[in-house]
Amino acid sequence: MKVSYERVRTYLKDHNVNPSFNRVKIMEYLIDQKNHPTAEQIYKELKKDLPTLSKATIYNSINAFAGAGLVKTIMGEGKEAHYDAVVDPHGHFLCEICQGCYDFDLSNDKFEFAEIEGFIIKDKEVYLRGICKKCLEDN
Amino acid sequence: MKVSYERVRTYLKDHNVNPSFNRVKIMEYLIDQKNHPTAEQIYKELKKDLPTLSKATIYNSINAFAGAGLVKTIMGEGKEAHYDAVVDPHGHFLCEICQGCYDFDLSNDKFEFAEIEGFIIKDKEVYLRGICKKCLEDN
DNA sequence: TTCTCTGCAAACGCTTTGCACGGAT
DNA sequence: ATCCGTGCAAAGCGTTTGCAGAGAA
């Protein structure tokens, strides 16, 4: 389920993020990946195609995306941040063994409890922690 | 709503955490506080009573607590971790302005959606982000 | 030109670790 | 004597930042 370069380019431009080549590639990767990569993972993977790519550019780009609301940061088990291209509301399951990050559906009607009087709520996140199917089967 | 030193001591011992003086004081603080302190906050506050206290001891102690399941780590807006003595299930509201952390109730019946086939779920967390009442009133 | 992205390297800041001291059993 | 918590300082590590060079408009 690949997204075309041109489409990502437009997507960024529409959200007021200057669509440089690197940024498009990074966002493209974020959208295509299901596994919520860390900066390191993005770096390693994209470096195959973009040998001069630097970590600083990864972080700068992601911060630009996050500022535009296009990317969310997920803090998992380790100390590295995982990044998630924003799409529909969904929760995250974090495996304590493989440190993987899985999406799961959030049926929105069960999520409407989240209101606090006098507070402005801009974002809602649900995390589950435990052991994923794959790690259970492997043991 | 202070917890007695002796009670915290017993609490730690019952969970196989050696209840040293510092550890009891740190856990005492975590239980008494409503504001989910950072390591820095714990350090500053407890240093008034325990002038020789070091940051390393704070971290070591908290890690001991976390290993025993007595403390949860909350990643807020900043890069510092907030620590929360585990009690009843509740969610956390994170203010993007004052970076404060507020509890809110999680009526459990609305939280039961969280099941994934083939996965073991050990923990559930809900985060809300936005602007807290106090910051709204101050502006 | 002017603006901004890029990439290297250095800086930052939170957390962890090595090690020697000291108290408790 | 042994074990373990403590505290200082140093190391680690993910992330951010300063700055010069390159590219686009």
Side-chain angles (χ1 to χ4, degrees), chain A residues 62-118:
Chain A
I62 286 173
N63 285 340
F65 300 158
L70 306 181
V71 160
K72 270 192 201 176
T73 299
I74 304 168
M75 292 310 298
E77 298 291 324
K79 54 178 60 174
E80 293 163 88
H82 296 248
Y83 302 103
D84 185 13
V86 177
V87 272
D88 344 295
H90 61 271
H92 293 114
F93 177 93
L94 305 167
C95 179
E96 67 185 20
I97 295 185
C98 67
Q99 311 223 347
C101 178
Y102 299 80
D103 287 351
F104 67 89
D105 189 50
L106 275 182
S107 51
N108 31 17
D109 52 355
K110 287 183 180 165
F111 202 31
E112 289 309 317
F113 66 87
E115 291 185 12
I116 311 177
E117 196 178 327

Side-chain angles (χ1 to χ4, degrees), chain B residues 3 14 23 38 46 50 58 61 66 77 80 88-89 91 125:
Chain B
V3 185
D14 288 349
R23 285 184 183 169
T38 62
L46 290 187
L50 315 169
I58 307 273
S61 301
E77 298 291 324
E80 292 164 87
D88 344 297
E125 290 175 35

Side-chain angles (χ1 to χ4, degrees), chain A residues 14-82:
Chain A
D14 288 350
H15 289 82
N16 300 310
V17 177
N18 202 335
S20 74
F21 184 71
N22 281 355
R23 286 183 183 170
V24 174
K25 298 299 281 182
I26 293 169
M27 179 54 89
E28 199 178 24
Y29 183 76
L30 280 171
I31 292 173
D32 284 340
Q33 290 307 114
K34 308 285 175 213
N35 51 326
H36 310 288
T38 63
E40 178 69 22
Q41 289 174 318
I42 301 170
Y43 178 68
K44 275 191 188 162
E45 192 61 31
L46 290 187
K47 210 165 168 55
K48 296 175 186 170
D49 291 327
L50 315 170
T52 71
L53 184 65
S54 77
K55 275 269 194 75
T57 299
I58 308 271
Y59 285 113
N60 287 337
S61 301
I62 286 173
N63 285 340
F65 300 158
L70 306 181
V71 160
K72 270 192 201 176
T73 299
I74 304 168
M75 292 310 298
E77 298 291 324
K79 54 178 60 174
E80 293 163 88
H82 296 248

Side-chain angles (χ1 to χ4, degrees), chain B residues 26 29-30 33-48 53 55 58-59 62 80-83 98-101:
Chain B
I26 294 169
Y29 184 75
L30 280 171
Q33 288 309 109
K34 307 288 177 213
N35 51 324
H36 311 289
T38 62
E40 179 69 23
Q41 290 173 317
I42 301 171
Y43 178 68
K44 274 189 189 161
E45 193 60 31
L46 290 187
K47 211 166 169 49
K48 296 175 187 170
L53 184 66
K55 276 267 193 77
I58 307 273
Y59 285 114
I62 286 172
E80 292 164 87
H82 295 247
Y83 302 103
C98 67
Q99 311 223 348
C101 178

